[in-house]
Amino acid sequence: MNNLESQLEKLKDTLFNQECVKTYFSLKRQIEQNVELNELREIIKFHAQEMTKNMENDEIYFKNKELYEKVLNEYNEHPLIADYNVVFEEVNSLLKQLKNIIE
């Protein structure tokens, strides 16, 4: 392993040991395994598809849009998702800082 590879490995280890990165991956796993959130995502996807299929039929389109927005709001207000979004922004900021340093 050359010096560059060694330094990159250290950087990776340092990055993955950051508390916000650990929290990010923990929340991501919890969200992926959460039955309620998986069901909500499927309902959101269903209503989005129905809106696309029924763009010419206002009644069906707007009924599905209303349901889509209601379920999406419920999904986004779930504590795991709310926490994930906050941590996602922290990790994103960290990565942007890293990018700026490298450039």
Side-chain angles (χ1 to χ4, degrees), residues 41-95:
R41 272 194 304 276
E42 288 301 315
I43 295 168
I44 290 165
K45 182 178 172 183
F46 171 79
H47 289 299
Q49 290 170 339
E50 288 300 304
M51 287 185 325
T52 301
K53 287 193 302 191
N54 292 289
M55 292 183 75
E56 302 297 321
N57 185 329
D58 285 351
E59 183 179 339
I60 295 173
Y61 174 85
F62 286 110
K63 177 183 174 194
N64 279 288
K65 183 178 182 198
E66 180 181 330
L67 293 169
Y68 169 87
E69 290 173 347
K70 178 183 176 210
V71 176
L72 181 61
N73 190 43
E74 182 180 345
Y75 179 85
N76 287 329
E77 289 179 354
H78 190 283
L80 284 174
I81 298 301
D83 290 347
Y84 173 84
N85 288 334
V86 170
V87 172
F88 176 85
E89 289 302 320
E90 289 177 35
V91 171
N92 194 36
S93 177
L94 179 63
L95 292 174

Side-chain angles (χ1 to χ4, degrees), residues 30-43:
Q30 291 176 61
I31 289 168
E32 290 168 352
Q33 296 171 357
N34 187 290
V35 174
E36 177 187 3
L37 290 173
N38 286 326
E39 289 173 357
L40 289 173
R41 272 194 304 276
E42 288 301 315
I43 295 168

